[in-house]
Amino acid sequence: MNIPPIMEVGGILISSEILTERFCCDYEKCKGICCVEGDAGAPVTQEEIAGIEDALDTVWGDLSASAQSVIDKQGVAYADKDGDLVTSIVRGRDCVFTCYDGDNCLCALERAYRNGQTSFCKPISCALYPIREKNFGNGLIGLNYHRWAVCKDAVIKGKELDIPVYQFLKEPLIRRFGTEWYNELCEVATSLGL
Ligand code: SF4
């Protein structure tokens, strides 16, 4: 079947790669390096900034001295070169909320949430990766599959386990767009024989 490169599902534009590509994070191989690599923080909303600020006291002791210093100076987020709000970073690359367990990079916000210490997990943009959300204005949203060399083992594992991107990200997609929308996405995938 001919699959259009972009399709509309429930008012949201999606790249067909979200249905056709395979992905499954392989933490043993990548060590969660996405929290460290990169040249900007993770996109955040004003509401998420408020959630992060509420969790800050709880995670403060898990953050590096450099991260604490950045947050003291500029807060938990800043506007990037495009004017979009993103989480603060240390040395121009690591997210301030990165913490370590041996060699593994963890998100201090997510760890505190999973330990039942806070009510905010982490920005939805982090949870949705490798899907990147683009806001076109007028409420129009697009979802793209983002390729990043640090995730090469996730592509291999995703192919081995035959897990499409949209299925790997079922939980964050439902958190962001709701169960009804996710079910519609699944129906589109099925109708395309994917
Ligand atoms: S998104 Fe990429 S770097 Fe981050 S945990 Fe998954 S595979 Fe690893």
Side-chain angles (χ1 to χ4, degrees):
M1 181 179 286
N2 223 355
I3 300 169
I6 297 172
M7 50 192 101
E8 185 257 316
V9 177
I12 294 169
L13 297 178
I14 70 155
S15 155
S16 60
E17 291 185 326
I18 288 169
L19 306 179
T20 56
E21 296 299 313
R22 269 45 185 167
F23 195 94
C24 180
C25 291
D26 192 342
Y27 303 102
E28 285 194 8
K29 298 261 175 61
C30 73
K31 314 285 186 199
I33 196 72
C34 51
C35 293
V36 177
E37 294 289 336
D39 55 11
V44 271
T45 63
Q46 285 288 3
E47 201 181 357
E48 287 175 328
I49 290 173
I52 293 172
E53 285 171 345
D54 285 346
L56 198 53
D57 282 349
T58 308
V59 300
W60 189 254
D62 295 332
L63 309 185
S64 68
S66 340
Q68 292 172 346
S69 161
V70 169
I71 295 170
D72 277 339
K73 284 194 196 105
Q74 69 175 38
V76 299
Y78 68 102
D80 69 6
K81 58 180 173 23
D82 300 321
D84 296 323
L85 289 170
V86 293
T87 54
S88 291
I89 51 176
V90 181
R91 289 179 290 273
R93 63 196 277 263
D94 339 1
C95 175
V96 286
F97 295 105
T98 307
C99 62
Y100 293 87
D101 178 9
D103 287 348
N104 296 320
C105 310
L106 301 175
C107 171
L109 294 168
E110 182 174 14
R111 184 163 70 176
Y113 173 80
R114 298 214 180 272
N115 286 342
Q117 297 171 284
T118 59
S119 56
F120 178 81
C121 182
K122 62 181 176 181
I124 190 69
S125 67
C126 301
L128 279 175
Y129 195 80
I131 290 181
R132 282 267 171 89
E133 190 173 325
K134 186 169 173 56
N135 196 331
F136 295 103
N138 299 328
L140 185 60
I141 289 172
L143 301 180
N144 285 311
Y145 169 58
H146 184 255
R147 288 182 166 78
W148 194 4
V150 299
C151 303
K152 63 181 185 334
D153 290 307
V155 175
I156 295 168
K157 188 172 176 182
K159 282 182 184 156
E160 279 169 6
L161 300 177
D162 196 21
I163 302 178
V165 174
Y166 78 98
Q167 286 181 12
F168 176 66
L169 294 174
K170 176 179 179 181
E171 188 189 319
L173 282 170
I174 289 176
R175 178 179 150 201
R176 174 68 182 90
F177 301 109
T179 305
E180 202 177 313
W181 182 84
Y182 184 78
N183 288 342
E184 194 174 333
L185 181 66
C186 294
E187 279 164 25
V188 169
T190 306
S191 70
L192 291 169
L194 296 170

